Amino acid sequence: MNALRNFIQAHPRLAVLTGAGVSTSSGIPDYRDEQGEWKRARPVEFRPFMTDPKVRQRYWSRSTVGWPIISRAQPNDAHRALARLEAQGFVQLMITQNVDGLHASAGSRNVIDLHGRLETVRCMECDHALSRADLQRQLLASNPGWAEIEGRVAPDGDVDIEGRDYSEFLVPDCPQCGGILKPDVVFFGETVPRERVDRAFDGVAKADALLVVGSSLMVYSGYRFAEAAAAAGKPIAAINLGRTRADHLLALKISEPCDQALSQLPLSGRSPAGVRQR
Ligand SMILES: [Zn+2]
């Protein structure tokens, strides 16, 4: 993996953008195939979730099955390698599109969770926050029988359990005001908070280069950072199985599993003195 090592040593202040491909080796399959097409049903969208109680029943029933898988997932070699690169001073900023929290679990410190994290749930009326683990206990207590169901999980905690009747599923309301509870993640059709986007753009602007790991960049909320890096003349490298939307912008493309490509990266020592900015 000399090409990747050379890229990092030539651009020792990296901004890193990660996607679902980083977490597949942790048992969380990604959304898209090698052509960048959906492998499964599209994730839930914001407006239907907010306006249709049936959509919320479907979401929370499937999430009740998916949450144990997400919450048990452990970081893999890719998460650990990126945390190590940060500790060595090569990574200025991590921007992740994942909502599983595994970069933090692996020890990465400077992470922007672009699309939020599944571990928190928020009321859309009064902004009351509660932990997903607490809500899970309530979901299971209100819906006995759903604890035993198994399915194939997706990066957003959704699972495929087609054919299962959820019309009787009881969806908890906000304990403070009775409002609609929603996981503290950015759904499709929802906008990423401006402050978060600005911090990410700022990180890309201060970096020498952008390293994309495990993302097809098919969603604009991630692709725009590749666009910004390219517009600023910063080289972009990508580790991804299959095509990415930014293939035409890449200086280096590595078509390997993320953990495999990154774990072959025994960079010796720290980045050049004085480069580290904290
Ligand atoms: Zn509330």
Side-chain angles (χ1 to χ4, degrees):
M1 200 39 59
N2 282 330
L4 181 58
R5 187 182 307 147
N6 292 344
F7 182 86
I8 294 174
Q9 277 170 340
H11 310 98
R13 293 178 300 186
L14 290 175
V16 178
L17 174 62
T18 74
V22 175
S23 292
T24 51
S25 294
S26 294
I28 305 173
D30 56 6
Y31 292 114
R32 294 175 190 273
D33 63 20
E34 298 208 347
Q35 299 307 312
E37 303 293 336
W38 293 103
K39 282 178 182 173
R40 56 194 303 286
R42 287 176 63 96
V44 65
E45 294 193 25
F46 180 67
R47 267 187 65 81
F49 182 89
M50 292 304 296
T51 53
D52 185 349
K54 285 195 177 61
V55 172
R56 291 197 292 279
Q57 281 182 305
R58 181 176 192 272
Y59 176 84
W60 284 114
S61 62
R62 294 161 66 104
S63 170
T64 298
V65 178
W67 171 250
I69 306 170
I70 299 277
S71 64
R72 277 197 306 265
Q74 296 293 320
N76 62 58
D77 284 347
H79 299 102
R80 282 190 286 271
L82 289 168
R84 204 160 51 236
L85 280 176
E86 185 190 53
Q88 289 174 323
F90 289 102
V91 174
Q92 299 287 293
L93 176 70
M94 306 259 302
I95 306 163
T96 187
Q97 303 173 94
N98 299 340
V99 293
D100 54 34
L102 290 177
H103 286 304
S105 306
S108 285
R109 290 163 180 274
N110 202 8
V111 182
I112 295 177
D113 295 297
L114 197 61
H115 297 155
R117 296 257 286 261
L118 277 176
E119 66 197 30
T120 306
V121 176
R122 219 169 261 287
C123 172
M124 297 306 283
E125 290 291 330
C126 74
D127 209 37
H128 175 67
L130 58 161
S131 87
R132 182 64 180 79
D134 287 346
L135 186 70
Q136 182 74 4
R137 280 187 277 280
Q138 201 182 332
L139 285 162
L140 291 174
S142 306
N143 300 282
W146 283 80
E148 292 82 43
I149 301 170
E150 289 178 7
R152 184 179 153 86
V153 77
D156 58 355
D158 190 19
V159 282
D160 289 318
I161 41 171
E162 296 302 340
R164 176 88 196 190
D165 179 22
Y166 52 83
S167 61
E168 304 293 316
F169 194 89
L170 292 175
V171 176
D173 297 323
C174 171
Q176 302 288 328
C177 77
I180 294 174
L181 293 178
K182 178 178 162 293
D184 197 12
V185 302
V186 176
F187 279 180
F188 278 78
E190 198 178 3
T191 323
V192 180
R194 190 70 237 173
E195 171 272 340
R196 225 181 271 172
V197 177
D198 288 346
R199 270 194 297 139
F201 273 125
D202 187 53
V204 172
K206 286 177 176 157
D208 299 327
L210 178 67
L211 174 64
V212 178
V213 186
S215 176
S216 61
L217 300 176
M218 288 301 162
V219 177
Y220 185 71
S221 83
Y223 178 70
R224 57 185 157 183
F225 301 111
E227 267 187 343
K234 297 173 196 286
I236 307 170
I239 305 167
N240 194 59
L241 285 173
R243 67 180 278 256
T244 84
R245 186 175 171 184
D247 278 353
H248 62 292
L249 302 176
L250 299 180
L252 174 65
K253 171 81 179 280
I254 295 160
S255 298
E256 278 185 44
C258 303
D259 51 348
Q260 193 178 310
L262 285 166
S263 62
Q264 295 168 19
L265 249 192
L267 286 162
S268 52
R270 288 169 176 272
S271 65
V275 161
R276 191 169 187 169
Q277 294 175 340
R278 278 286 152 76

